[in-house]
Amino acid sequence: MTAQYRVQNPVTGEIIEKYEFSTDEEVQTVIESAKIAYSEWSTRPMSERAEIVARVGQLFKERKDELARIAAQEMGKPISEGVEEAEFSGDIVAYYAENGEELTKDQEIPTFSSGSAVIRRLPIGPILGIMPWNFPYYQIARFVGPNLVLGNTIILKDAEICPRSALAVQQLMDDAGVPSGVYNNIFASHEQVSEIIADPRVQGVSLTGSERAGSIVGAQAGEHIKKVVLELGGSDPYVLLDTDNVREAAETAWATRLYNTGQACNSNKRMIVMEDIYDEFVSELEGLARAAVKSTPENEFEHSYSAMSSRDAAEKLRNQLERAVAAGGHLRVGGELSEEGAYVSPAVITDIPVGSDIYYEEFFGPVATVYKVSNDEEALELANNTQYGLGGTVFSKDVERASAISRRLETGMANVNTPAGEGQELPFGGIKRSGFGRELGPLGMDEFVNKQMYYVEK
């Protein structure tokens, strides 16, 4: 499908509305506006910026129902999850409004000279955000929250399939009192994105997206010596060592995997289960998959599942399942592609050969992939056998046993006895081919910042 900004209902496949790409002149106007606005915005007291940003957070929450309806129509997100996302976005923005001054306070450096030295955290200028479709509000909030408070200005290029979400956020910013030029939504083409990255007025770029997109953007940023943050794919291990309640463990794993119809970077893509509970665990997952009923984002009920983001995404997932079976995997249930729309029935697949090409791919959809192991070292070896390194978790009744494995996970985020440690105060990001840099928490405010050494001779 030719890339264009459009609203295409994934439930029916109907294209509801199309949007033109920004003209080259509009791109130049946006860049210049961001540069001019930076001169004034960055010199305001942080308390003034924080007051405006706090209002942004409030509006995310006040408009949660409207925002959820937009996301449901654009990419199939269940309404309850869209509301939850908008609320969390508000919490993220509020966190930086409330804590910005503390997170950026001068850091004194003990010096052997007669003077005094501190590290000052200062803004750097206009920065470009390239955001994905799977969390159209949360992804923006965690990028703009710290940077607006810090004093940077924003050029925001959203995914082609969620233009109404992008426009809703722009309206929210405007209504909150964010000055003109400080936050700029733009419907840029890929070629125009390259031009924005190359422009000397732009000081950095943050991308959340695919490994392929990250490789391209990272190379362009490097060519032009720009700071870049990349949050890319994941194939997160979800290790289950033991449990007193296999059914409950399976239900937790399934709910985690099906959240956002399986389209989350840090979802539990590989479930690694000890052999003595493996058969029962897989059987429970099969039962949950068979109970799944196709529905729409507005009509949620127990065991309902929604459409994926697009027909292209659904067809890609189905193709991956077919290749996994051809490689020796056992598709136990589900994985059926709907005749229309973007539905793939929730699936359980086992026995994908470790080391095969398909083993190393990310399944971005409602697929539970399960592996059997016989001891802790085997579980750890399998968990780390991936080119990705976003997150991972280990479950056990023995916290120390789980912690011993979790501490050795080659990931940016490691968890024990929870699917993921999540919150506006907890940094998010990965290593290896999952990218680099962090968002959220104190580290999220430490990326697009000039850590200036400031020395005064006494």
Side-chain angles (χ1 to χ4, degrees):
M1 178 179 293
T2 302
Q4 64 180 161
Y5 286 84
R6 66 196 180 280
V7 178
Q8 184 169 14
N9 190 335
V11 171
T12 64
E14 176 190 6
I15 296 179
I16 299 169
E17 190 173 10
K18 296 181 180 180
Y19 295 79
E20 295 295 328
F21 285 114
S22 300
T23 66
D24 290 343
E25 291 76 15
E26 288 170 336
V27 170
Q28 290 302 312
T29 297
V30 161
I31 297 173
E32 184 64 17
S33 295
K35 177 189 175 184
I36 293 171
Y38 173 74
S39 297
E40 191 275 335
W41 181 247
S42 62
T43 57
R44 288 194 185 195
M46 182 174 285
S47 59
E48 289 186 15
R49 296 195 297 265
E51 184 177 353
I52 294 173
V53 173
R55 179 59 180 158
V56 171
Q58 292 169 1
L59 289 182
F60 266 117
K61 293 189 174 186
E62 290 176 12
R63 298 180 182 179
K64 60 185 179 182
D65 294 326
E66 172 195 350
L67 296 175
R69 285 192 296 271
I70 293 171
Q73 187 175 57
E74 288 184 323
M75 49 76 62
K77 187 185 293 288
I79 290 291
S80 66
E81 294 183 14
V83 168
E84 181 180 67
E85 179 184 346
E87 291 177 334
F88 188 28
S89 299
D91 290 338
I92 291 168
V93 173
Y95 169 81
Y96 289 105
E98 294 167 5
N99 296 284
E101 293 198 15
E102 177 64 23
L103 295 175
T104 58
K105 67 181 181 181
D106 289 352
Q107 177 184 344
E108 185 176 355
I109 304 172
T111 176
F112 302 109
S113 68
S114 59
S116 64
V118 297
I119 298 296
R120 302 198 301 172
R121 285 171 165 79
L122 307 175
I124 60 173
I127 53 177
L128 170 66
I130 306 171
M131 297 294 114
W133 47 261
N134 58 333
F135 292 95
Y137 309 118
Y138 159 74
Q139 301 283 1
I140 293 177
R142 70 184 195 177
F143 170 61
V144 304
N147 286 299
L148 289 179
V149 172
L150 184 65
N152 293 321
T153 54
I154 305 295
I155 301 169
L156 201 292
K157 187 272 179 198
D158 217 335
E160 284 86 352
I161 70 170
C162 51
R164 286 184 179 172
S165 298
L167 293 174
V169 174
Q170 178 71 71
Q171 188 64 55
L172 186 153
M173 295 284 175
D174 294 344
D175 293 346
V178 175
S180 176
V182 171
Y183 180 90
N184 308 272
N185 179 73
I186 188 167
F187 290 156
S189 67
H190 292 168
E191 292 76 15
Q192 289 170 332
V193 166
S194 298
E195 293 170 4
I196 296 170
I197 295 172
D199 195 290
R201 292 168 290 184
V202 175
Q203 299 303 309
V205 55
S206 177
L207 175 137
T208 298
S210 68
E211 181 183 350
R212 178 176 176 274
S215 178
I216 294 170
V217 168
Q220 292 173 346
E223 178 184 356
H224 299 286
I225 317 180
K226 303 289 178 71
K227 172 64 187 281
V228 62
V229 169
L230 301 176
E231 196 269 277
L232 310 177
S235 187
D236 289 12
Y238 187 97
V239 181
L240 182 60
L241 300 176
D242 57 61
T243 179
D244 286 331
N245 191 328
V246 175
R247 171 176 290 182
E248 184 178 275
E251 289 174 346
T252 299
W254 183 254
T256 303
R257 190 66 191 95
L258 267 290
Y259 190 78
N260 206 36
T261 319
Q263 301 165 121
C265 298
N266 63 329
S267 185
N268 48 341
K269 308 282 173 48
R270 292 176 299 135
M271 302 179 193
I272 300 169
V273 183
M274 206 58 68
E275 60 184 357
D276 60 329
I277 55 175
Y278 173 86
D279 289 338
E280 185 180 355
F281 181 84
V282 171
S283 178
E284 292 290 347
L285 290 183
E286 289 180 42
L288 291 165
R290 291 192 176 93
V293 179
K294 181 171 71 173
S295 188
T296 62
E298 300 82 6
N299 185 30
E300 299 175 70
F301 49 87
E302 187 177 12
H303 303 306
S304 66
Y305 69 93
S306 190
M308 294 181 63
S309 64
S310 68
R311 181 72 184 186
D312 285 352
E315 290 177 350
K316 177 184 177 182
L317 185 65
R318 176 60 197 175
N319 176 263
Q320 286 180 298
L321 289 170
E322 290 172 354
R323 289 191 289 117
V325 170
H330 181 192
L331 182 57
R332 293 171 177 259
V333 60
E336 296 301 320
L337 178 65
S338 61
E339 291 187 6
E340 65 175 24
Y343 289 91
V344 174
S345 58
V348 177
I349 188 167
T350 60
D351 308 309
I352 296 177
V354 177
S356 63
D357 289 344
I358 191 64
Y359 165 82
Y360 290 104
E361 293 187 20
E362 176 184 23
F363 286 77
F364 209 64
V367 175
T369 306
V370 195
Y371 299 88
K372 178 167 59 176
V373 292
S374 58
N375 57 63
D376 292 12
E377 283 300 316
E378 185 182 356
L380 177 65
E381 181 180 0
L382 184 59
N384 286 336
N385 188 0
T386 173
Q387 74 269 34
Y388 296 110
L390 191 54
T393 189
V394 184
F395 287 83
S396 175
K397 294 179 291 183
D398 183 342
V399 173
E400 284 306 312
R401 180 188 180 194
S403 297
I405 294 177
S406 186
R407 281 191 290 264
R408 296 168 65 190
L409 291 177
E410 296 170 356
T411 60
M413 301 173 287
N415 307 278
V416 172
N417 288 342
T418 181
E422 294 184 329
Q424 58 268 30
E425 77 282 10
L426 299 178
F428 187 105
I431 60 171
K432 300 196 285 190
R433 297 194 72 83
S434 289
F436 45 78
R438 294 294 182 269
E439 293 182 294
L440 299 178
L443 300 187
M445 206 159 196
D446 235 13
E447 292 290 351
F448 296 99
V449 60
N450 173 13
K451 299 172 187 174
Q452 184 188 70
M453 192 285 294
Y454 183 68
Y455 179 85
V456 177
E457 183 65 49
K458 293 181 178 179

